[in-house]
């Protein structure tokens, strides 16, 4: 049943845990008394509230003050005699699809409550955790809570699980729905029940309610001022150029207010930020008060937090991916420029190819983007596509679980001793072909076995692979590196692959940057090129001036170094042998082949490449050091489909290595589809 909550009447009893100015004006505060009653009385419910209403920052604080998060607990009932939760471990978990949201919101809540981050309020994201024994409110990415469920399927440390931004339907969120539902049902009639809150910024939540056994739905109004929407008379062939033109038209002609521009990815954003900065210098002196800023998930945190700063007498223009649609509320935004595009990852189970391509957004995304302009005052949204194009958009974004390679998730399910993937309680069940193909990849990697009567079972190798927060293929490579004597090199390469781009190539110095980058290039491919660059970076102790001189992204390299330290610690704790192969990079490429043998391509007579077992023809991406070369056999990390199918992060391999590695037991199965 759906309920619309009306505001509190009379005086505001139950004041917020903090009376900071940042939280006093939040729309959700007028509903506090009624929401507190719901938190106390409803063990599971769905809460709809517009982005910026304050639900993400306030609901966890109100949960903390509820009777369900305080007091002593008794030992669990007879069905679970070993189940005992100390009072100090009554933690409230709030999940976020993105790292930047988990960290920024944790900071905000810690400030509101007047505590140091990592004490009462903390966060946990991949390769970074700021918590302590006294942490009671814990913001975390979906993936981190999912990893915790491997050790503790009933989520015993938590009294509340708040699944925020549920409408984004990330792959991890969808699996968490099932994990939380099972834990909730298992603990429902015990002395330590789990309470679950599903929070969404969109109105289409009937599916959530149905999935959680007709959980009640409550709606609160958010702060929303009038928004004027303009559509282009026709679609723009060059949306980057159109975005920049619109930015400067607004800056020259419209009243004060910051600008948010929706772009598709890091490379595009960095290019547009650079172009916007150059264009500023061509403006009259009095109009040079424009501050272009980037925002994307891989951006280092200290750079991400610049978007929240106020630059006195200046106007911010933030170039962002769809991370700014719902995950983050940026103060000061009055103008939104919507390119109508986003990067979408899709998995073709028929070919086994995972592609990343730019596609049209949905109507729901379009409205979320427009809504960013009306949070603090009336605003304007400029849609760089026609009204006809908008009408032709799909209503809602397709959930990731219906368009993704499921290998990581299936390995997780197998670790939870789920043997029948087809019968798993998905909110939206993926196609059977996709499940079978993803399971086949895991079998080929040696992570799973399958018996006709017993279904899928995780192997000892699979159990080791799931210990690492990586794609199963990369986990397999990392484990193989201890056998092939190149763990130090592989730790570096995997860390380098964890950020989108380590090269910084300004558009006005492209030729100069490319010339300097030649000294790092290797005829063996991009992975060895990345390794050479990282070794050079470490030889100068990560010097910032060296990065600038060599057109290397200093911020991203610092992130690579941090990821490598975290991964190295995890690798050592797992008691794998640490070794280096020195200049013998053949060992590195053999090791990469162990995990990427599905991503193998052969040169055809017409000069294109054909992937193994399918008819797709692909080309080496122009950014690759192997572009315009024609090695006979290559492997790749990623396939991107734009006007053509491009493969990125390419390395030269010898086909005979496949049989050699299979003979050593490092590749478990070779067939036409692999």
């Amino acid at each position: 049943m759906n309920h619309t909550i009306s505001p509190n009447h009379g005086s505001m009893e139950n004041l917020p845990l903090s009376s900071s100015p940042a939280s006093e004006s939040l729309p959700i505060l007028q509903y506090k008394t009624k929401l507190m009653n719901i938190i106390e009385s409803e063990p599971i419910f769905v809460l709809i509230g517009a982005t910026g209403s304050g639900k993400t920052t306030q609901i966890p604080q109100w949960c903390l003050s509820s009777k369900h998060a305080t007091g002593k607990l008794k030992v669990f009932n007879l069905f679970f005699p070993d189940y005992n939760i100390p009072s100090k471990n009554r933690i409230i978990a709030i999940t976020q699809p993105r790292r930047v949201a988990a960290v920024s919101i944790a900071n905000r809540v810690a400030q509101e409550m007047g505590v140091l981050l990592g004490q009462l309020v903390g966060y946990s994201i991949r390769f970074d955790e700021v918590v302590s024994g006294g942490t009671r409110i814990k913001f975390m990415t979906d993936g981190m809570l999912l990893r915790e469920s491997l050790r503790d399927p009933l989520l015993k440390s938590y009294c509340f699980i708040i699944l925020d931004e549920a409408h984004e339907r990330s792959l991890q969120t969808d699996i968490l729905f099932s994990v939380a539902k099972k834990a909730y049902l298992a603990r429902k009639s015990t002395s330590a029940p789990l309470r679950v809150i599903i929070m969404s910024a969109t109105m289409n939540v009937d599916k959530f309610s149905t999935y959680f056994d007709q959980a009640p739905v409550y709606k609160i109004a958010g702060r929303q001022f009038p928004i004027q929407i303009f559509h282009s008379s026709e679609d723009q062939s060059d949306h980057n150029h159109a975005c920049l033109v619109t930015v400067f038209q607004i800056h020259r002609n419209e009243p004060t207010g910051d600008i948010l521009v929706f772009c598709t990815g890091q490379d595009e954003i960095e290019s547009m930020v650079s172009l916007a900065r150059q264009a500023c210098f061509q403006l009259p002196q009095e109009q040079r008060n424009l501050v272009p800023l980037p925002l994307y998930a891989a951006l280092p945190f200290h750079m991400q937090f610049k978007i929240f700063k106020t630059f006195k007498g200046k106007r911010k223009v933030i170039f962002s991916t769809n991370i700014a649609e719902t995950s983050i509320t940026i103060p000061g935004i009055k103008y939104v420029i919507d390119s109508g595009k986003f990067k979408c990852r899709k998995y073709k189970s028929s070919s086994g190819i995972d592609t990343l391509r730019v596609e049209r957004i949905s109507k729901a995304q379009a409205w979320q983007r427009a809504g960013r302009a009306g949070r603090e005052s009336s605003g304007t949204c400029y849609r760089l596509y026609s009204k006809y194009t908008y009408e032709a958009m799909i209503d809602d974004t397709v959930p990731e679980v219906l368009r993704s390679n499921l290998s990581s998730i299936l390995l997780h399910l197998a670790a939870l001793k789920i043997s029948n993937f087809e019968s798993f309680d998905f909110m939206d069940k993926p196609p059977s072909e996709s499940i079978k193909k993803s399971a086949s990849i895991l079998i080929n990697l040696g992570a799973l076995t399958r018996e006709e009567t017993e279904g899928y079972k995780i192997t000892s190798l699979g159990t080791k692979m799931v210990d690492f927060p990586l794609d199963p293929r990369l986990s397999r490579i990392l484990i193989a590196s201890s056998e092939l004597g190149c763990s130090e090199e592989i730790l570096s390469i995997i860390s380098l692959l964890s950020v989108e781009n380590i090269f910084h190539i300004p558009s006005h110095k492209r030729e100069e940057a490319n010339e300097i980058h030649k000294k790092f290039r290797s005829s063996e491919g991009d992975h060895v090129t990345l390794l050479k660059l990282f070794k050079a970076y470490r030889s100068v102790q990560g010097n910032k001036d060296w990065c600038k001189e060599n057109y290397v992204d200093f911020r991203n390299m610092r992130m690579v170094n941090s990821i490598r330290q975290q991964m190295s610690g995890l690798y050592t704790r797992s008691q794998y042998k640490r070794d280096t192969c020195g200049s013998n990079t053949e060992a590195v490429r053999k090791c990469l082949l162990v995990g990427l043998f599905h991503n193998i391509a052969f040169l055809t007579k017409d000069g294109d490449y054909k992937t193994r077992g399918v008819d797709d023809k692909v080309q080496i991406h122009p950014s690759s050091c192997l572009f315009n070369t024609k090695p006979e056999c290559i492997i790749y990390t990623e396939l991107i489909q734009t006007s053509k199918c491009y493969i990125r992060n390419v390395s030269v391999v010898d086909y005979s290595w496949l049989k050699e590695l299979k003979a050593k037991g490092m590749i478990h199965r070779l067939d036409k589809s692999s």
Side-chain angles (χ1 to χ4, degrees), residues 346-355 402 404-405 431-438 441 611-616 641 672-674:
K346 283 191 175 181
Y347 180 64
K348 295 182 182 178
S349 57
S350 58
S351 63
I353 292 179
D354 206 357
T355 62
L402 300 181
S404 297
N405 183 333
S432 294
E433 182 61 29
S434 182
I435 293 175
K436 290 176 182 176
K437 189 71 180 182
S438 297
I441 290 173
T611 55
R612 193 167 191 261
V614 295
D615 295 328
D616 300 67
Q641 190 166 2
K672 187 177 181 183
S673 64
S674 68

Side-chain angles (χ1 to χ4, degrees), residues 464 476-488 490 571 575-579 591 666:
K464 294 174 183 176
R476 181 66 189 100
I477 291 168
L478 192 53
I479 292 170
S481 68
S482 66
E483 298 178 58
L484 294 173
C486 55
S487 57
E488 295 298 331
I490 291 299
Y571 189 82
Q575 298 184 328
Y576 289 108
K577 182 182 176 183
R578 298 284 293 271
D579 210 345
C591 193
M666 301 184 76

Side-chain angles (χ1 to χ4, degrees), residues 26-28 50-60 62 108 220:
L26 292 172
I28 197 172
T51 305
S53 63
K55 62 185 185 301
T56 302
T57 58
Q58 302 308 304
I59 292 294
W62 298 346
R108 165 75 180 267
I220 60 172

